[in-house]
Amino acid sequence: MFLENYKSGWQDFFEDIKKEPFYIEMMEFLQKEYETHVIFPKFEDVFKIFRLVEPEEIGVIIIGQDPYHKKGLANGIAFSCSNDQKIPPSLRNIFKELNDDLNIDHFQNLDLSNWVSQGVFLINAIMTVRSGEPASHKNIGWEHFTEKVLDFINKKNEKIIYCLWGNFAKRIYNNLRYNFINKDLTISSAHPSPFSYHLFKNSRPFSKINEKLCVIGKEPISWDK
């Protein structure tokens, strides 16, 4: 159903996941959803993130909840949106913290594809949503899919930095199967939504990520791209 012209390193993952009963049922459900409702992101963008980076290149994982549910925003990357849109509140707060943390102004570029290409895996745990209905595709199988994706990445990479924004991301992280995740490489804070921005503010995740990347011998992220 979805465009799966993913990077070659994901081939084994998708070959295996397509055989899973939960995945087959979820795809059948989503086929009907796209036929009968307005669903975001566009079906060709649902797996966009897998087209931007090889699993072996991932050094940082940031977990979102589900895509933006307003027209034109969701583009297949957590927190990211198209540059012809008005900036969503959570993304605005992320950029405010980036500016405070590293003095980087990212407000004119709302598309975070370049972060993903550098190894920052921005994945929504729930990868589709009905227009105007946040969390409408919760519990259809996406959360299980995402956990399998992250377990696959963890097997491919000895050291991964997890940046957990909010309790939802922390629950997904705590459900991961592989117990060799390095807790010392995990960064936690509140979610950047307007409801918890006062707790997210001054958390400085971007400089912390780069510091930890340097410790494990990886290139820091150019957050200005």
Side-chain angles (χ1 to χ4, degrees):
M1 174 185 173
F2 300 130
L3 296 183
E4 297 176 359
N5 53 333
Y6 38 73
K7 295 273 190 177
S8 59
W10 296 106
Q11 182 173 349
D12 289 345
F13 171 78
F14 277 102
E15 286 183 356
D16 288 342
I17 204 76
K18 288 177 183 178
K19 302 171 187 175
E20 297 265 5
F22 89 91
Y23 183 83
I24 295 169
E25 291 178 9
M26 183 172 71
M27 289 299 109
E28 291 173 350
F29 173 82
L30 288 170
Q31 180 77 46
K32 296 176 182 176
E33 285 286 280
Y34 272 89
E35 291 172 355
T36 56
H37 296 83
V38 177
I39 305 297
F40 301 130
K42 296 180 291 186
F43 76 90
E44 60 264 31
D45 285 340
V46 171
F47 287 148
K48 178 179 180 178
I49 195 168
F50 300 100
R51 304 198 295 267
L52 296 174
V53 65
E54 297 279 10
E56 295 86 357
E57 297 169 345
I58 295 169
V60 182
I61 293 175
I62 300 177
I63 305 168
Q65 187 161 345
D66 63 344
Y68 298 120
H69 57 88
K70 294 183 180 179
K71 183 178 180 180
L73 292 179
N75 68 354
I77 301 170
F79 301 104
S80 173
C81 73
S82 303
N83 279 320
D84 58 352
Q85 300 296 315
K86 181 180 178 181
I87 186 169
S90 290
L91 186 57
R92 179 182 296 280
N93 289 338
I94 289 169
F95 288 165
K96 285 167 66 177
E97 183 61 22
L98 176 60
N99 199 9
D100 291 343
D101 188 2
L102 295 175
N103 198 29
I104 291 174
D105 183 343
H106 214 291
F107 290 96
Q108 303 307 312
N109 182 10
L110 312 184
D111 187 343
L112 304 182
S113 296
N114 285 327
W115 290 6
V116 179
S117 297
Q118 294 180 73
V120 182
F121 200 64
L122 291 155
I123 184 169
N124 279 315
I126 304 164
M127 298 182 71
T128 54
V129 67
R130 284 185 184 179
S131 175
E133 299 181 41
S136 49
H137 284 174
K138 183 180 180 181
N139 296 328
I140 69 167
W142 278 127
E143 296 93 333
H144 189 37
F145 173 86
T146 300
E147 289 169 12
K148 285 186 171 292
V149 170
L150 300 181
D151 281 333
F152 181 80
I153 296 170
N154 290 334
K155 285 191 292 183
K156 293 281 186 179
N157 299 274
E158 184 177 344
K159 296 177 180 177
I160 292 285
I161 296 166
Y162 275 86
C163 186
L164 307 174
W165 290 340
N167 290 330
F168 184 88
K170 292 169 188 173
R171 284 197 298 270
I172 294 292
Y173 174 81
N174 289 332
N175 285 337
L176 297 180
R177 184 171 53 179
Y178 291 93
N179 59 8
F180 53 77
I181 295 173
N182 190 333
K183 302 289 186 180
D184 292 336
L185 297 179
T186 301
I187 300 166
S188 296
S189 73
H191 193 277
S193 78
F195 302 105
S196 54
Y197 174 65
H198 63 292
L199 298 173
F200 177 75
K201 184 176 172 61
N202 296 322
S203 60
R204 304 196 178 281
F206 307 100
S207 59
K208 289 178 181 177
I209 287 170
N210 279 352
E211 287 169 5
K212 290 182 183 296
L213 285 171
C214 290
V215 167
I216 62 178
K218 294 185 178 181
E219 288 293 318
I221 304 301
S222 296
W223 298 106
D224 56 335
K225 293 184 178 179

